[in-house]
Amino acid sequence: MILSKQNIISLLESVNDPEVPVINIVELGVVRDVTIGDETFEVKITPTYSGCPAMKVIEDDIEQVLKANGYNNFTIKTIFAPVWTTDWMSEVTKQKLKDYGIAPPDKVSPIDHSPFLPLEKKILPCPFCDSKDTFLKSQFGSTACKALYFCNSCAQPFEHFKCI
């Protein structure tokens, strides 16, 4: 296989997020860059949250898929700047989250600071029934990067990716 950035990224698209298996690490924005050298390359990854426990699993999965495809001369580097943001997710990725039952994040921008409202003041549509009759149940869901909400209309709990 030819060593190219696109080939490596294509392989990395087969690595799903271990906590949200309907999206891969490229869609999530964890893969920040692939730099190609003469006979080696580096995969740069960024955690979605400081201290994210899934990063070791992600590194192991990257290593496994690359080695299974004949790549052995690479490094994986975790970078913390720029800080991961939900803005790195496409609308298609956010729709996948919604279809999976996770309320997708708002767009974070320097002009519109509404995503920075306290979670208890946010009105989130339920990913199951689209009702806005929802409330914050817990600041943390199954992982630190998600919050737990509840829908009064369909009586379903759901998680929401926090905007970072």
Side-chain angles (χ1 to χ4, degrees):
M1 189 174 238
I2 297 171
L3 179 57
S4 74
K5 183 174 183 172
Q6 188 52 51
N7 286 346
I8 301 303
I9 288 177
S10 292
L11 289 173
L12 297 177
E13 287 173 337
S14 70
V15 177
N16 288 335
D17 181 321
E19 295 170 343
V20 186
V22 296
I23 57 177
N24 66 59
I25 61 173
V26 175
E27 293 174 302
L28 184 57
V30 167
V31 175
R32 294 310 307 144
D33 197 11
V34 173
T35 53
I36 307 292
D38 290 335
E39 294 182 25
T40 185
F41 63 94
E42 181 176 71
V43 177
K44 293 180 183 172
I45 57 176
T46 297
T48 59
Y49 211 84
S50 178
C52 175
M55 290 307 287
K56 176 66 173 129
V57 173
I58 290 171
E59 287 179 28
D60 292 346
D61 290 350
I62 290 170
E63 184 174 340
Q64 182 179 9
V65 76
L66 293 175
K67 287 184 176 183
N69 284 278
Y71 294 107
N72 293 302
N73 202 12
F74 62 88
T75 57
I76 301 169
K77 182 177 181 181
T78 301
I79 58 173
F80 297 96
V83 174
W84 180 85
T85 172
T86 53
D87 283 351
W88 294 346
M89 286 190 243
S90 70
E91 292 305 313
V92 170
T93 302
K94 291 176 184 182
Q95 185 61 48
K96 287 181 181 182
L97 290 174
K98 184 177 187 231
D99 293 345
Y100 188 66
I102 297 174
D106 299 322
K107 179 126 178 95
V108 178
S109 74
I111 298 168
D112 176 13
H113 295 287
S114 62
F116 298 107
L117 284 173
L119 287 174
E120 62 273 6
K121 295 192 182 213
K122 283 186 138 187
I123 299 172
L124 295 175
C126 173
F128 300 107
C129 71
D130 289 323
S131 169
K132 291 188 178 178
D133 187 12
T134 63
F135 67 93
L136 176 69
K137 192 96 167 133
S138 172
Q139 292 278 347
F140 297 98
S142 61
T143 62
C145 58
K146 293 180 273 184
L148 181 63
Y149 280 78
F150 187 82
C151 178
N152 289 319
S153 296
C154 69
Q156 288 289 323
F158 65 93
E159 292 183 305
H160 168 63
F161 250 107
K162 297 176 190 175
C163 295
I164 299 174

